[in-house]
Amino acid sequence: MRQEDVIHIIQSVKEGNEKAVSELIQLTIGLAMNIAKNILHNSDDIDDAVQESYIKAWKNIKTYDANKGLFSTWFYKIAHNECIDRNRKMSTQNHSQLTDDLFDSTQAADEQLYYKQLKSNVLTISTSLPEKQREIFLLRDIQNLTINEVQKMTGMSTGSIKTNLYLARKKIKEVLDSEGE
């Protein structure tokens, strides 16, 4: 959807148009769910974080200024901060809900299991990374965003993104190597 269309929808939301709220949710639900899934990993926490992100966004929608950036970037920051805050409050995390199929069903079941376990291990290891490294790693390597997209989402420079990504990958590789993965 074009940015002009998004701005029009946002203006309708600011005016109290409930249909526009539904349209905006449809545009952003994928982004919100991806952020929450990559940070929280627990279906109840994911749902709660996404819902709370929307509540915070609607309460603050009047502060959104299209001249300062894309709505998706503004909303990303709200959702990301909500997930990080929620994650900090949790004493344990449940990584057992990694239901993504990494490969086609034509692959052998043991290969699929191996790669699911590897992904689970990588995500578990990523929780020990410093917050910025983890954020960049998840956006770039798990969500497969481009460096440019990560830059727009985080506001970080390309150099900072590449440095944080390098350090995150290096740490994860070191841990996996020490575990014999």
Side-chain angles (χ1 to χ4, degrees):
M1 181 170 278
R2 297 178 337 189
Q3 179 65 8
E4 296 83 26
D5 296 333
V6 174
I7 292 170
H8 177 72
I9 293 170
I10 292 167
Q11 187 57 41
S12 294
V13 170
K14 288 179 178 181
E15 293 168 1
N17 183 331
E18 289 183 26
K19 184 177 180 236
V21 172
S22 284
E23 288 180 60
L24 205 51
I25 289 172
Q26 288 176 348
L27 287 174
T28 57
I29 191 70
L31 173 66
M33 292 301 289
N34 281 337
I35 293 165
K37 284 179 185 178
N38 284 320
I39 295 173
L40 299 172
H41 309 293
N42 176 295
S43 61
D44 291 335
D45 291 330
I46 291 167
D47 292 341
D48 291 346
V50 169
Q51 183 176 11
E52 190 61 32
S53 297
Y54 281 113
I55 290 169
K56 287 180 179 180
W58 305 149
K59 285 182 179 178
N60 295 295
I61 193 74
K62 292 186 189 293
T63 66
Y64 169 71
D65 182 356
N67 296 321
K68 292 183 179 179
L70 298 174
F71 178 79
S72 59
T73 303
W74 181 81
F75 181 70
Y76 167 86
K77 288 179 182 177
I78 291 171
H80 178 265
N81 289 340
E82 174 61 29
C83 292
I84 293 297
D85 290 347
R86 188 171 294 271
N87 198 27
R88 284 183 184 140
K89 293 176 187 173
M90 294 170 28
S91 60
T92 60
Q93 293 183 340
N94 181 0
H95 295 287
S96 65
Q97 301 219 347
L98 297 172
T99 57
D100 297 345
D101 284 333
L102 296 175
F103 295 92
D104 294 327
S105 60
T106 57
Q107 286 186 299
D110 57 337
E111 266 188 62
Q112 288 181 1
L113 179 60
Y114 170 78
Y115 285 108
K116 279 188 177 189
Q117 288 173 337
L118 179 60
K119 183 177 181 182
S120 178
N121 288 347
V122 167
L123 289 173
T124 299
I125 294 165
S126 75
T127 62
S128 68
L129 295 172
E131 188 174 315
K132 282 295 177 194
Q133 288 178 18
R134 182 170 192 262
E135 176 184 11
I136 299 304
F137 173 76
L138 292 173
L139 290 172
R140 181 70 181 100
D141 287 353
I142 303 299
Q143 290 189 17
N144 296 317
L145 297 179
T146 65
I147 295 290
N148 193 32
E149 290 170 323
V150 173
Q151 185 178 23
K152 287 178 183 175
M153 294 280 196
T154 63
M156 294 174 66
S157 70
T158 301
S160 292
I161 291 167
K162 289 181 178 180
T163 299
N164 278 290
L165 186 57
Y166 169 79
L167 293 171
R169 288 173 176 168
K170 181 180 175 187
K171 174 67 174 175
I172 289 169
K173 183 181 183 319
E174 287 172 358
V175 174
L176 288 174
D177 287 346
S178 73
E179 293 176 355
E181 285 288 330

